[in-house]
Amino acid sequence: AQSVTQPDIHITVSEGASLELRCNYSYGATPYLFWYVQSPGQGLQLLLKYFSGDTLVQGIKGFEAEFKRSQSSFNLRKPSVHWSDAAEYFCAVGFTGGGNKLTFGTGTQLKVEL
Amino acid sequence: DGGITQSPKYLFRKEGQNVTLSCEQNLNHDAMYWYRQDPGQGLRLIYYSQIVNDFQKGDIAEGYSVSREKKESFPLTVTSAQKNPTAFYLCASSSGQGAGTGELFFGEGSRLTVL
Protein backbone atom coordinates (compact mmCIF):
# COMPACT_ATOMS: atom_id res chain seq x y z
CA ALA A 1 0.00 0.00 0.00
CA GLN A 2 1.09 3.53 -0.65
CA SER A 3 2.07 5.85 2.19
CA VAL A 4 3.12 9.45 2.70
CA THR A 5 5.52 10.85 5.27
CA GLN A 6 5.77 14.45 6.29
CA PRO A 7 8.67 14.45 8.75
CA ASP A 8 8.15 17.98 10.08
CA ILE A 9 5.13 18.40 12.36
CA HIS A 10 5.74 22.11 12.98
CA ILE A 11 7.83 24.66 11.11
CA THR A 12 8.35 28.32 11.99
CA VAL A 13 9.75 30.82 9.51
CA SER A 14 10.07 34.58 9.44
CA GLU A 15 8.01 36.54 6.98
CA GLY A 16 10.00 37.04 3.80
CA ALA A 17 12.15 33.97 4.36
CA SER A 18 12.14 30.99 2.06
CA LEU A 19 10.19 27.84 2.87
CA GLU A 20 10.59 24.16 2.12
CA LEU A 21 8.16 21.53 3.40
CA ARG A 22 9.23 17.93 3.02
CA CYS A 23 7.18 15.05 1.69
CA ASN A 24 8.29 11.48 1.02
CA TYR A 25 6.08 8.79 -0.45
CA SER A 26 6.18 5.06 -0.74
CA TYR A 27 4.70 3.51 -3.84
CA GLY A 28 5.97 1.02 -6.39
CA ALA A 29 5.04 2.88 -9.56
CA THR A 30 4.83 6.51 -10.53
CA PRO A 31 2.40 8.17 -8.17
CA TYR A 32 0.17 11.15 -8.58
CA LEU A 33 1.21 13.74 -6.00
CA PHE A 34 -0.63 16.65 -4.45
CA TRP A 35 -0.14 19.42 -1.93
CA TYR A 36 -3.17 20.82 -0.10
CA VAL A 37 -3.43 23.68 2.40
CA GLN A 38 -5.89 23.98 5.29
CA SER A 39 -6.71 27.07 7.32
CA PRO A 40 -7.99 26.47 10.88
CA GLY A 41 -11.48 24.98 10.96
CA GLN A 42 -11.74 24.91 7.19
CA GLY A 43 -11.61 22.40 4.37
CA LEU A 44 -8.57 21.75 2.20
CA GLN A 45 -7.58 23.68 -0.90
CA LEU A 46 -5.37 22.29 -3.65
CA LEU A 47 -2.05 24.11 -4.07
CA LEU A 48 -0.57 22.03 -6.87
CA LYS A 49 -0.40 18.56 -8.36
CA TYR A 50 2.00 16.34 -10.29
CA PHE A 51 0.83 13.72 -12.75
CA SER A 52 3.61 13.40 -15.30
CA GLY A 53 6.01 15.45 -17.38
CA ASP A 54 7.98 18.35 -16.01
CA THR A 55 9.09 17.46 -12.50
CA LEU A 56 8.90 21.06 -11.30
CA VAL A 57 5.30 22.11 -10.94
CA GLN A 58 3.92 25.55 -10.20
CA GLY A 59 0.88 26.12 -8.05
CA ILE A 60 -1.24 28.87 -6.64
CA LYS A 61 -0.09 31.53 -4.16
CA GLY A 62 3.50 31.38 -5.43
CA PHE A 63 4.16 27.78 -4.36
CA GLU A 64 6.10 25.22 -6.35
CA ALA A 65 7.08 21.59 -5.81
CA GLU A 66 9.65 19.29 -7.34
CA PHE A 67 9.17 15.59 -7.94
CA LYS A 68 12.37 13.61 -7.39
CA ARG A 69 11.87 9.97 -8.25
CA SER A 70 15.30 8.92 -6.97
CA GLN A 71 14.51 10.31 -3.53
CA SER A 72 10.76 9.47 -3.54
CA SER A 73 10.15 13.07 -2.60
CA PHE A 74 7.80 15.89 -3.53
CA ASN A 75 8.91 18.88 -1.47
CA LEU A 76 6.93 22.11 -1.44
CA ARG A 77 8.78 25.43 -1.73
CA LYS A 78 8.10 29.14 -1.66
CA PRO A 79 10.83 31.76 -2.11
CA SER A 80 9.31 34.36 0.22
CA VAL A 81 6.69 33.52 2.83
CA HIS A 82 3.83 35.88 3.69
CA TRP A 83 2.08 35.98 7.05
CA SER A 84 -1.09 34.74 5.34
CA ASP A 85 0.68 31.48 4.47
CA ALA A 86 0.37 30.32 8.08
CA ALA A 87 -1.73 27.15 7.86
CA GLU A 88 -1.43 23.38 7.82
CA TYR A 89 -0.06 21.74 4.70
CA PHE A 90 -0.81 18.21 3.57
CA CYS A 91 0.97 16.10 0.99
CA ALA A 92 -1.12 13.37 -0.67
CA VAL A 93 -0.56 10.52 -3.10
CA GLY A 94 -2.87 8.79 -5.57
CA PHE A 95 -2.22 6.00 -7.99
CA THR A 96 -3.40 4.48 -11.24
CA GLY A 97 -6.47 2.37 -10.70
CA GLY A 98 -7.20 3.95 -7.35
CA GLY A 99 -9.96 6.19 -8.55
CA ASN A 100 -9.41 9.52 -6.87
CA LYS A 101 -8.82 7.90 -3.52
CA LEU A 102 -5.89 9.75 -1.98
CA THR A 103 -3.62 8.87 0.92
CA PHE A 104 -2.65 11.89 2.99
CA GLY A 105 0.36 12.63 5.14
CA THR A 106 -0.04 13.75 8.74
CA GLY A 107 0.48 17.40 7.86
CA THR A 108 2.96 20.18 8.65
CA GLN A 109 1.82 23.17 10.66
CA LEU A 110 3.45 26.36 9.41
CA LYS A 111 3.84 29.37 11.68
CA VAL A 112 5.03 32.68 10.26
CA GLU A 113 6.77 35.17 12.51
CA LEU A 114 6.41 38.84 11.67
CA ASP B 1 -21.31 29.38 -6.85
CA GLY B 2 -20.55 25.69 -7.17
CA GLY B 3 -19.20 23.88 -4.21
CA ILE B 4 -19.68 21.42 -1.40
CA THR B 5 -21.90 22.17 1.57
CA GLN B 6 -21.54 20.29 4.83
CA SER B 7 -23.94 20.59 7.70
CA PRO B 8 -24.04 21.05 10.57
CA LYS B 9 -20.71 22.77 11.16
CA TYR B 10 -20.75 21.81 14.84
CA LEU B 11 -22.60 18.88 16.38
CA PHE B 12 -22.76 17.50 19.88
CA ARG B 13 -23.88 13.99 20.60
CA LYS B 14 -24.46 11.91 23.67
CA GLU B 15 -22.90 8.50 23.83
CA GLY B 16 -25.11 5.84 22.28
CA GLN B 17 -26.75 8.16 19.77
CA ASN B 18 -26.46 7.91 16.01
CA VAL B 19 -25.88 11.15 14.12
CA THR B 20 -25.97 11.96 10.43
CA LEU B 21 -23.70 14.48 8.74
CA SER B 22 -24.93 16.02 5.52
CA CYS B 23 -22.85 16.58 2.40
CA GLU B 24 -24.27 18.15 -0.76
CA GLN B 25 -22.41 19.15 -3.92
CA ASN B 26 -23.52 21.08 -6.99
CA LEU B 27 -20.36 20.49 -9.01
CA ASN B 28 -21.90 17.61 -10.97
CA HIS B 29 -19.12 15.35 -9.72
CA ASP B 30 -19.48 11.59 -9.92
CA ALA B 31 -17.29 10.70 -6.95
CA MET B 32 -17.69 11.67 -3.31
CA TYR B 33 -15.64 10.91 -0.20
CA TRP B 34 -15.72 11.12 3.55
CA TYR B 35 -12.52 11.70 5.51
CA ARG B 36 -11.94 11.88 9.22
CA GLN B 37 -9.30 14.26 10.59
CA ASP B 38 -7.70 13.92 14.02
CA PRO B 39 -4.82 16.05 15.31
CA GLY B 40 -1.48 14.64 14.22
CA GLN B 41 -3.04 11.90 12.09
CA GLY B 42 -3.84 13.67 8.86
CA LEU B 43 -6.91 12.63 6.91
CA ARG B 44 -8.15 9.05 6.89
CA LEU B 45 -10.68 7.76 4.38
CA ILE B 46 -13.95 6.46 5.80
CA TYR B 47 -16.08 5.72 2.73
CA TYR B 48 -16.15 6.72 -0.90
CA SER B 49 -18.59 6.50 -3.76
CA GLN B 50 -17.67 6.67 -7.42
CA ILE B 51 -21.22 6.50 -8.75
CA VAL B 52 -24.80 6.72 -7.55
CA ASN B 53 -26.08 3.68 -5.63
CA ASP B 54 -22.57 2.35 -5.10
CA PHE B 55 -20.00 2.96 -2.38
CA GLN B 56 -16.92 1.29 -0.89
CA LYS B 57 -15.31 1.14 2.51
CA GLY B 58 -12.21 3.16 3.10
CA ASP B 59 -9.52 2.53 5.68
CA ILE B 60 -11.61 3.22 8.80
CA ALA B 61 -15.21 2.33 7.92
CA GLU B 62 -16.11 0.52 11.16
CA GLY B 63 -18.85 2.32 13.05
CA TYR B 64 -19.91 4.42 10.06
CA SER B 65 -22.49 4.05 7.30
CA VAL B 66 -23.29 5.97 4.12
CA SER B 67 -25.78 6.09 1.29
CA ARG B 68 -25.61 7.48 -2.24
CA GLU B 69 -29.16 7.72 -3.54
CA LYS B 70 -28.57 10.95 -5.43
CA LYS B 71 -25.54 12.21 -7.30
CA GLU B 72 -25.54 15.41 -5.26
CA SER B 73 -25.74 13.90 -1.81
CA PHE B 74 -23.54 11.59 0.28
CA PRO B 75 -24.64 11.59 3.95
CA LEU B 76 -22.50 9.96 6.63
CA THR B 77 -24.02 8.34 9.71
CA VAL B 78 -21.82 7.98 12.76
CA THR B 79 -23.30 5.07 14.69
CA SER B 80 -23.06 4.19 18.36
CA ALA B 81 -20.64 1.43 17.33
CA GLN B 82 -17.96 4.02 16.56
CA LYS B 83 -15.81 4.00 19.69
CA ASN B 84 -14.10 7.37 19.28
CA PRO B 85 -16.39 9.54 17.17
CA THR B 86 -15.14 12.93 18.32
CA ALA B 87 -13.34 14.33 15.27
CA PHE B 88 -13.45 16.75 12.36
CA TYR B 89 -15.21 15.22 9.34
CA LEU B 90 -14.50 16.36 5.81
CA CYS B 91 -16.53 15.60 2.71
CA ALA B 92 -14.96 15.85 -0.74
CA SER B 93 -15.89 15.28 -4.36
CA SER B 94 -14.11 14.80 -7.66
CA SER B 95 -14.99 14.33 -11.30
CA GLY B 96 -14.38 11.10 -13.17
CA GLN B 97 -13.92 7.56 -12.02
CA GLY B 98 -10.55 6.80 -13.53
CA ALA B 99 -7.03 7.02 -12.25
CA GLY B 100 -6.13 9.21 -9.33
CA THR B 101 -5.64 12.26 -11.44
CA GLY B 102 -8.49 14.39 -10.28
CA GLU B 103 -8.48 17.17 -7.79
CA LEU B 104 -10.52 16.68 -4.63
CA PHE B 105 -12.82 19.56 -3.72
CA PHE B 106 -13.51 19.78 0.00
CA GLY B 107 -16.33 21.11 2.09
CA GLU B 108 -15.64 23.20 5.19
CA GLY B 109 -16.06 20.28 7.54
CA SER B 110 -18.26 19.21 10.44
CA ARG B 111 -16.90 19.00 13.95
CA LEU B 112 -18.54 16.27 16.00
CA THR B 113 -18.12 16.17 19.76
CA VAL B 114 -19.38 13.32 21.90
CA LEU B 115 -20.34 14.37 25.38
Side-chain angles (χ1 to χ4, degrees):
Chain A
Q2 70 278 11
S3 66
V4 179
T5 301
Q6 293 181 247
D8 303 307
I9 299 174
H10 299 281
I11 283 185
T12 300
V13 298
S14 299
E15 188 175 37
S18 63
L19 171 70
E20 183 169 27
L21 303 182
R22 296 183 291 166
C23 173
N24 293 96
Y25 67 90
S26 173
Y27 180 60
T30 300
Y32 304 111
L33 296 160
F34 306 81
W35 275 100
Y36 284 84
V37 60
Q38 183 183 35
S39 298
Q42 301 294 312
L44 278 69
Q45 180 186 22
L46 180 71
L47 285 175
L48 47 78
K49 56 189 176 184
Y50 171 79
F51 295 155
S52 64
D54 193 346
T55 57
L56 183 64
V57 293
Q58 303 296 321
I60 62 172
K61 305 184 180 184
F63 286 92
E64 66 177 28
E66 186 172 11
F67 171 58
K68 293 186 177 180
R69 184 190 304 275
S70 62
Q71 299 177 20
S72 297
S73 70
F74 189 57
N75 293 350
L76 182 71
R77 302 193 294 247
K78 187 170 185 178
S80 178
V81 170
H82 188 263
W83 64 266
S84 60
D85 293 324
E88 189 157 22
Y89 292 79
F90 292 92
C91 183
V93 61
F95 58 96
T96 303
N100 285 322
K101 193 174 57 166
L102 301 185
T103 297
F104 285 83
T106 53
T108 298
Q109 187 72 48
L110 173 65
K111 180 180 177 182
V112 180
E113 291 182 332
L114 300 176
Chain B
D1 287 337
I4 298 179
T5 302
Q6 289 188 240
S7 62
K9 192 169 179 66
Y10 299 96
L11 184 61
F12 298 88
R13 183 193 100 175
K14 294 181 179 179
E15 285 191 19
Q17 288 182 335
N18 292 354
V19 294
T20 297
L21 307 180
S22 170
C23 178
E24 303 277 334
Q25 55 100 356
N26 60 4
L27 300 168
N28 199 33
H29 285 169
D30 290 314
M32 298 186 73
Y33 312 79
W34 275 105
Y35 283 89
R36 169 178 171 144
Q37 185 176 17
D38 296 282
Q41 297 193 49
L43 279 70
R44 293 180 290 168
L45 183 64
I46 304 172
Y47 269 98
Y48 64 104
S49 168
Q50 294 182 319
I51 196 168
V52 174
N53 292 320
D54 188 45
F55 50 82
Q56 288 79 40
K57 293 181 179 180
D59 300 319
I60 56 164
E62 184 176 353
Y64 300 97
S65 65
V66 294
S67 63
R68 187 83 187 277
E69 297 177 359
K70 298 187 299 181
K71 187 175 184 178
E72 303 80 20
S73 179
F74 191 42
L76 173 73
T77 297
V78 184
T79 75
S80 56
Q82 169 50 235
K83 299 305 179 187
N84 297 294
T86 295
F88 190 54
Y89 292 88
L90 286 161
C91 180
S93 71
S94 69
S95 61
Q97 303 174 30
T101 58
E103 173 183 355
L104 291 184
F105 291 82
F106 284 86
E108 294 198 341
S110 293
R111 184 167 298 281
L112 172 63
T113 302
V114 175
L115 303 173

